[in-house]
Amino acid sequence: MLDAEGIVDMDITGAETLDELLDGLEERGIRLVLARTRTALRDTLRRLDLEERIGPENFHLRVRDAVAAFSDRASG
């Protein structure tokens, strides 16, 4: 889980790095979850097709919501 509040924007290099990170995580069966993602960053991720790759269900408004979602998945 990444608290993305401090990420204001993403350039193409950042997007490529995130794409590579997602490749590596997927190979290991790990899901990336983002909390407190700013609207501008979410719009950028959407334009770059990274929002869909991460999965809209893996974005949470608060850290506590992300943790609760993880706990629910782990226990279910």
Side-chain angles (χ1 to χ4, degrees), residues 26-74:
E26 287 172 4
E27 288 174 6
R28 293 170 179 81
I30 299 170
R31 174 189 334 226
L32 178 64
V33 175
L34 297 163
R36 302 188 332 163
T37 307
R38 295 176 183 265
T39 302
L41 176 59
R42 186 102 186 242
D43 290 343
T44 299
L45 293 173
R46 189 174 298 120
R47 281 193 312 274
L48 298 171
D49 295 324
L50 289 170
E51 180 188 53
E52 186 62 34
R53 182 154 185 220
I54 293 168
E57 72 280 5
N58 293 315
F59 287 86
H60 300 277
L61 294 177
R62 300 178 303 180
V63 170
R64 102 175 59 180
D65 296 337
V67 172
F70 174 79
S71 296
D72 290 346
R73 286 183 195 144

